[in-house]
Amino acid sequence: MSFGVAPNPFVPSAVEGRATSETPLARTSTRLGTNGFRVAGMIAALLLAACGQAQPQARRDAAGFPFPDRPVASIVSSRWSTEPQRDLAHEADAVIAAAGVRPGMSVADVGAGEGYYSVRLAKAVGGRGRVLAEDIVPAYRDGLARRIARERLANVSVTLGRPDDARLPPNGFDRIFLIHMYHEISDPYALMWRLRAALRPGGRIVIVDADRDTASHGTPPALLKCELEAVGFRQIAQRPMPAASGYLALFEASGEPPRPAAIEACKA
């Protein structure tokens, strides 16, 4: 930030006043001009100090949760890859098995996109189970709702969330899936803190991502572990998931959730 100094109206120009350093007017003008620069410098220093004091507050959202101290990748598509390619690699089968999904469970697919996992989870939990598919992009949510209706999946519901809140019902889910999208969450501490309340006792968060920088559409495993531990989760498993071109990590709630203001952002 730079601050300019406006011309001092009390200092006459050499043409207008023809003042010299020997005249009283020139000596007065010189003192006023010097004071003007001093005042401007003080104002600049105060403004810079104010900016410095406001910066930490700007790194938290309205509820007091910290924003991530790392890049957030843009949402570029409703799909991660084509469904035939993913099925050829048996991606969903491998992830659902590793997550321990069983018939009759209630599961959520956060950031569901076109619903690759939603429709396959519907089969895994069966008629006695249920799936809630969530996305924050209205067009993705609407497209998925049409797909669910077209495929007549009676055990799947679709909902619209926010970047800081998936708006899942409390105490409602045995598993909550976040597949290839954690790096796109702009307010991860708020979102994950609120997902805790949506888990049933013994429920688990299931995250699949690539092991690379968040700016490159992945999340380093150590960073993921740090961010989830910061909001009160405990990592219970992590394993390579080559079928999903990345890794899978499982988390469960541990202890009491921290106050938002007490949460500190992890360093990338």
Side-chain angles (χ1 to χ4, degrees):
M1 185 179 297
S2 63
F3 299 89
V5 180
N8 194 323
F10 297 103
V11 181
S13 69
V15 174
E16 291 172 344
R18 301 186 186 277
T20 70
S21 59
E22 300 302 320
T23 64
L25 178 60
R27 288 193 295 272
T28 303
S29 299
T30 300
R31 287 195 298 272
L32 288 170
T34 301
N35 290 337
F37 279 110
R38 289 175 179 170
V39 171
M42 293 174 62
I43 292 172
L46 289 171
L47 287 173
L48 286 170
C51 290
Q53 292 173 357
Q55 188 176 1
Q57 294 183 3
R59 296 302 304 155
R60 290 184 178 266
D61 67 14
F65 293 99
F67 287 116
D69 189 12
R70 57 167 172 80
V72 175
S74 301
I75 300 174
V76 296
S77 176
S78 60
R79 66 173 65 179
W80 179 74
S81 180
T82 68
E83 295 196 8
Q85 287 176 325
R86 298 172 85 171
D87 282 343
L88 189 62
H90 303 287
E91 177 188 336
D93 293 339
V95 169
I96 290 171
V101 174
R102 300 184 300 275
M105 277 188 168
S106 179
V107 302
D109 184 10
V110 174
E114 291 185 344
Y116 174 75
Y117 272 88
S118 300
V119 300
R120 287 157 180 80
L121 285 167
K123 180 179 178 180
V125 300
R128 294 184 296 106
R130 70 181 182 115
V131 179
L132 181 60
E134 179 268 1
D135 209 284
I136 65 171
V137 181
Y140 297 173
R141 185 273 313 266
D142 295 345
L144 180 53
R146 290 190 293 269
R147 177 179 186 176
I148 298 305
R150 185 171 62 250
E151 299 188 19
R152 300 179 183 276
L153 298 174
N155 62 344
V156 180
S157 301
V158 181
T159 188
L160 185 68
R162 299 194 318 245
D164 64 340
D165 188 357
R167 294 176 171 175
L168 303 186
N171 194 33
F173 299 95
D174 301 293
R175 300 288 186 272
I176 299 176
F177 288 79
L178 298 91
I179 309 295
H180 291 299
M181 53 74 67
Y182 184 85
H183 51 269
E184 298 174 349
I185 303 171
S186 60
D187 204 346
Y189 296 98
L191 177 72
M192 301 311 298
W193 189 89
R194 291 178 173 124
L195 286 183
R196 277 183 53 121
L199 286 173
R200 290 173 174 172
R204 295 176 177 178
I205 299 288
V206 183
I207 297 178
V208 172
D209 215 337
D211 183 2
R212 53 177 177 253
D213 292 341
T214 54
S216 300
H217 289 268
T219 308
L223 177 61
L224 177 69
K225 183 174 183 286
C226 180
E227 292 190 350
L228 267 74
E229 286 181 346
V231 296
F233 285 101
R234 180 176 68 91
Q235 183 172 288
I236 59 173
Q238 180 196 311
R239 66 187 69 178
M241 189 56 60
S245 300
Y247 66 92
L248 177 144
L250 300 176
F251 297 86
E252 63 182 12
S254 177
E256 293 297 318
R259 294 180 298 104
I263 300 170
E264 295 295 335
C266 299
K267 298 291 184 181

